[in-house]
Amino acid sequence: MIAFAIVSMLFAVRDIGGSAFAGREEGAPTALAGEPDGYYVVLFRGSSYCPTCDLMEKLSKELLYGPTSPFARDVKEGKLSFMVVNFEKPGNEHYLFDYDLYTTTIVLIEQRDGEQARWKNLQESWEHAEKTGDFKEYLAGKIRDFEREGR
């Protein structure tokens, strides 16, 4: 019985990993297909109901698009964008491996010359989510640092 369970798990891992990497070169940079150059704040989340995920999305949008946004100019000029990607949607499984995702998180991505130049997984964003001011301050600081490092 235990041997059957182990073999079943190995096949499941192979199938999940195989579909996630299908059609993708090993080590090839992942670009946000069809997206212009700039900086992206991407909330990766699953399909299930998640109040903390909803809160992270709301606070991120407020930070970037709110009336007092410190990033208003960059957003208006198209240099900084926010998007939400469901990593459980068929075809998006590769993001789990591309960005070392294991739960909902925010990833900062720089696109340059139509390709992904670099990225940073903000795994700690989850820890800051329940504190509105702390989350916005944390995310704003990480975005500024990421932009500064890219120059």
Side-chain angles (χ1 to χ4, degrees):
M1 189 78 135
I2 294 173
F4 176 76
I6 291 171
V7 169
S8 296
M9 280 183 18
L10 290 174
F11 276 102
V13 168
R14 183 202 66 189
D15 291 344
I16 291 169
S19 67
F21 288 108
R24 201 174 141 246
E25 289 180 40
E26 179 123 1
T30 300
L32 297 170
E35 298 298 334
D37 290 355
Y39 294 97
Y40 291 84
V41 178
V42 184
L43 173 67
F44 286 98
R45 63 178 296 178
S47 303
S48 60
Y49 173 70
C50 171
T52 304
C53 305
D54 293 343
L55 182 60
M56 289 171 68
E57 182 174 348
K58 176 184 176 276
L59 295 174
S60 297
K61 286 178 179 176
E62 285 177 6
L63 175 66
L64 296 176
Y65 303 117
T68 59
S69 172
F71 302 102
R73 184 172 153 190
D74 286 345
V75 169
K76 184 177 180 180
E77 294 175 358
K79 295 178 183 176
L80 180 64
S81 302
F82 175 74
M83 59 179 43
V84 178
V85 175
N86 181 341
F87 54 71
E88 291 179 355
K89 184 178 174 186
N92 286 349
E93 301 91 354
H94 66 91
Y95 290 122
L96 295 169
F97 300 98
D98 295 344
Y99 300 113
D100 297 326
L101 307 177
Y102 60 90
T103 188
T104 298
T105 192
I106 292 177
V107 176
L108 303 178
I109 300 171
E110 180 183 5
Q111 290 270 111
R112 200 180 305 151
D113 299 324
E115 295 185 1
Q116 177 180 285
R118 61 196 180 94
W119 59 273
K120 181 171 185 159
N121 184 333
L122 304 181
Q123 294 175 359
E124 305 86 23
S125 56
W126 187 268
E127 298 166 19
H128 297 271
E130 296 297 326
K131 302 173 205 134
T132 302
D134 183 46
F135 179 84
K136 288 181 181 180
E137 185 177 311
Y138 165 80
L139 184 56
K142 293 296 184 180
I143 292 169
R144 284 188 198 102
D145 291 346
F146 192 73
E147 288 178 328
R148 194 173 15 258
E149 292 165 4
R151 292 182 187 140

